[in-house]
Amino acid sequence: MRTKVGRPRAGSAGTGDSREDLLAAGAALFTERGFAATTTRALAERAGLRQAALYHYFETKEDVLAALLERTVRPSAEFAAALLQRPEDPAVRLWALCRTDIALLAGGEHNLGALYLLPEIAGPRFEEFRRQRAELKDAYRVLVETLAGPEETSRADFVFGVVESVILIRRDAHHLDPDDFARAGADAALRAAGVGDEGLPEIREAADALRRRT
């Protein structure tokens, strides 16, 4: 059997998808050792590949990081864009977005959201990640201002901060259940947006139904 050019393996029982194995290796090494301390050789070895094979999929380790970062924000940004077109009450749409976004940040084996704190992401290679995150943040602003009034921009910033606080909470928490945490976090974000506890049960129920339809 012929071996694919540029894809020599080093004897690992990975997923069989070398690109996914490299992303998994990046998620582990960047969060465990740090981005600066991780070499392309270490990435390849963790993925069960020879170093030369890495360049078949990613030109640099920055490309691995960019792909990981975009995975933490793109699904939420796409969901937010869809929610902005929906007719439901803004509180319902906001809860649905918060719950979905927090579940994404709280899920997975590694705390990829912690990579947001890396100084490297200010560089040009991460412009697409920053753009997607800015679009997501703007969707929060639209929903909060629709709910609470156009003067509530600072409240929208606070809501977005509540959602992304999962990054720091997860760093210190053990045995965190992503679904339970996402629902509690969405409640907290709605309170930050000015919604009282008495309205939350109906909002949750409607938002869960909305999430199934969107």
Side-chain angles (χ1 to χ4, degrees):
M1 179 181 295
R2 295 179 61 190
T3 302
K4 293 185 179 180
V5 175
R7 298 183 62 182
R9 282 198 169 266
S12 169
T15 66
D17 183 329
S18 297
R19 188 177 191 278
E20 287 302 313
D21 289 343
L22 285 165
L23 288 170
L29 292 173
F30 296 158
T31 55
E32 293 168 5
R33 300 184 185 178
F35 178 73
T38 299
T39 64
T40 54
R41 180 182 295 276
L43 285 169
E45 289 178 351
R46 183 73 170 246
L49 299 168
R50 298 191 180 98
Q51 187 175 9
L54 181 147
Y55 301 110
H56 186 78
Y57 303 96
F58 300 100
E59 292 185 5
T60 66
K61 69 176 183 177
E62 284 78 9
D63 292 339
V64 178
L65 177 59
L68 290 170
L69 288 171
E70 288 169 27
R71 285 187 173 190
T72 69
V73 70
R74 184 186 300 113
S76 294
E78 291 175 349
F79 183 58
L83 287 176
L84 292 181
Q85 304 304 313
R86 299 287 307 187
E88 285 82 1
D89 185 280
V92 171
R93 288 182 285 158
L94 181 60
W95 195 95
L97 176 57
C98 292
R99 188 238 178 273
T100 298
D101 199 9
I102 294 171
L104 180 63
L105 291 171
E109 183 178 357
H110 303 286
N111 185 13
L112 295 179
L115 301 176
Y116 291 11
L117 305 177
L118 290 172
E120 288 86 356
I121 69 169
R125 178 61 187 85
F126 304 100
E127 181 178 354
E128 177 61 17
F129 161 70
R130 295 195 303 271
R131 183 192 66 78
Q132 291 180 11
R133 185 164 174 251
E135 286 186 358
L136 176 59
K137 185 175 182 180
D138 191 60
Y140 276 98
R141 179 192 59 78
V142 171
L143 289 172
V144 171
E145 290 183 359
T146 303
L147 172 65
E151 70 283 357
E152 295 295 344
T153 299
S154 60
R155 190 184 292 265
D157 291 339
F158 186 50
V159 169
F160 191 66
V162 169
V163 169
E164 289 202 340
S165 68
V166 66
I167 294 166
L168 299 178
I169 295 170
R170 185 178 178 187
R171 185 177 61 184
D172 301 321
H174 299 285
H175 308 298
L176 182 151
D177 183 288
D179 186 66
D180 288 346
F181 192 75
R183 298 180 72 83
D187 285 354
L190 264 287
R191 294 184 186 104
V195 176
D197 285 353
E198 67 280 358
L200 281 175
E202 292 79 12
I203 289 170
R204 290 189 206 106
E205 183 177 357
D208 283 336
L210 175 60
R211 291 179 69 248
R212 291 192 291 269
R213 294 194 300 270
T214 304

